Amino acid sequence: GWHGWEGKKLKKTMASGIGSRVVVAASNAARRMGLALDGMGASMEVAKYTERLVPSTRFVAVDGVAPAVSESAAFVAPSASVIGNVSLGSKSSIWYGATVRGDVNHVVIGDNSSIGDRAVIHVAKIQGDSPTVIGNNVTIGPGAIVHAATLGDSCVVGASAQVLDGATVQEGAYIAPGAVVTPGTTVPTGQYWAGSPAKMVRSLSDEELATIINSANETTQLASLHAGECAKDLAQLVADEEKYLDDLERDPEYFQPTGVDEDDVLGQGQPGRIFNTTLSHPEEGLKRKQNQ
């Protein structure tokens, strides 16, 4: 009767508790094993990387050859992939989701050039032996494909355009968005090409040629900004958010926590104001004052 029902209920509760403990124990064991495997993999990796808020293997070695990225490169996005025999020059940038793959041949990217979001740079070996060489001040737009081709200095490959095997885009040329430069084609200096297959449309004006350089410089400046933001750790991001909320809500006529207090006395803050003092540890304020 009633006692039998209570007994069954008690047994069911006990079984449920034991099952929960087993699941928790197994989960903890799996987590520890995963961390151990991750640590072992990181120690074996040829191209070392620092894991930040967005874990990503940006630099991957192929057959023992790791990417060579200039110390003065502007920016390589956390979600970008730079693989194998790739050389990235000074002030150059590789943006979010882009892939630069030098697995069966080499890729060279000059100075002050940019590889846009989700762009793909690859090489050829099976059908022809063709690396990819990209000059200085080159802008490659989002979603573009450059496959086993050569791009001269100060040229532009528009968004979603394709430059295919053995093609050459000479200095100061502009490939329109969505255009397809077919294999083996040469785009002469200072020309604007569009269409699929791409054909010459017109020559670029001096003003348009100057814009190519200006655009490359502006992209480099923007890349430096993104590099600084992506390098922040959790503590810095939390501090930035707190400052943003404080600036948003604090009355400008109310006490401001930033800046130099002209009425400061020995690093203790303004007399009579408790908001910016070190009353709990006054010796710390004296030490800071002495160090100044």
Side-chain angles (χ1 to χ4, degrees):
W2 184 83
H3 292 288
W5 179 82
E6 281 294 318
K8 291 179 180 179
K9 182 178 179 182
L10 179 60
K11 291 180 180 179
K12 185 176 182 180
T13 302
M14 293 177 62
S16 176
I18 294 173
S20 298
R21 288 195 294 271
V22 170
V23 170
V24 171
S27 300
N28 290 336
R31 188 177 295 110
R32 287 193 295 270
M33 182 180 297
L35 291 172
L37 290 172
D38 183 67
M40 183 174 66
S43 65
M44 296 170 63
E45 190 170 17
V46 176
K48 302 297 182 182
Y49 71 98
T50 301
E51 189 171 72
R52 298 191 182 277
L53 293 179
V54 183
S56 172
T57 306
R58 281 182 280 185
F59 307 110
V60 180
V62 175
D63 293 332
V65 180
V69 178
S70 170
E71 293 183 358
S72 56
F75 174 54
V76 177
S79 57
S81 297
V82 186
I83 303 166
N85 192 355
V86 176
S87 173
L88 182 66
S90 173
K91 298 182 180 179
S92 290
S93 55
I94 301 176
W95 290 78
Y96 303 96
T99 299
V100 181
R101 183 152 57 98
D103 47 1
V104 296
N105 218 313
H106 66 276
V107 176
V108 177
I109 302 172
D111 300 333
N112 205 43
S113 294
S114 62
I115 313 300
D117 304 73
R118 307 181 318 282
V120 176
I121 312 298
H122 195 215
V123 292
K125 186 72 174 180
I126 299 175
Q127 296 180 345
D129 189 355
S130 300
T132 291
V133 179
I134 299 170
N136 304 323
N137 302 308
V138 174
T139 299
I140 297 176
I145 297 175
V146 178
H147 194 275
T150 299
L151 307 182
D153 295 341
S154 307
C155 65
V156 175
V157 177
S160 300
Q162 299 181 34
V163 182
L164 302 179
D165 301 50
T168 300
V169 179
Q170 295 183 347
E171 181 177 356
Y174 197 117
I175 308 303
V180 178
V181 180
T182 52
T185 301
T186 296
V187 179
T189 297
Q191 292 186 0
Y192 179 83
W193 283 44
S196 178
K199 301 292 182 182
M200 176 189 173
V201 176
R202 59 180 174 82
S203 296
L204 296 172
S205 65
D206 291 340
E207 182 179 357
E208 289 172 326
L209 291 172
T211 300
I212 292 176
I213 301 295
N214 293 336
S215 176
N217 292 334
E218 290 173 358
T219 301
T220 297
Q221 293 176 4
L222 183 61
S224 298
L225 175 63
H226 279 258
E229 290 297 319
C230 288
K232 290 182 178 180
D233 57 20
L234 179 60
Q236 290 172 304
L237 292 176
V238 170
D240 286 351
E241 182 180 8
E242 290 176 348
K243 183 180 184 305
Y244 169 76
L245 294 175
D246 186 81
D247 292 342
L248 192 65
E249 299 176 359
R250 186 182 294 270
D251 191 313
E253 297 182 357
Y254 190 65
F255 166 73
Q256 301 297 317
T258 58
V260 178
D261 190 345
E262 296 179 355
D263 297 321
D264 178 76
V265 177
L266 295 177
Q268 301 302 298
Q270 185 180 132
R273 180 178 289 171
I274 66 172
F275 301 108
N276 61 343
T277 65
T278 53
L279 293 178
S280 58
H281 299 285
E283 68 280 359
E284 295 299 323
L286 294 173
K287 289 179 182 178
R288 288 200 297 270
K289 191 67 176 179
Q290 292 170 358
N291 291 334
Q292 292 175 359

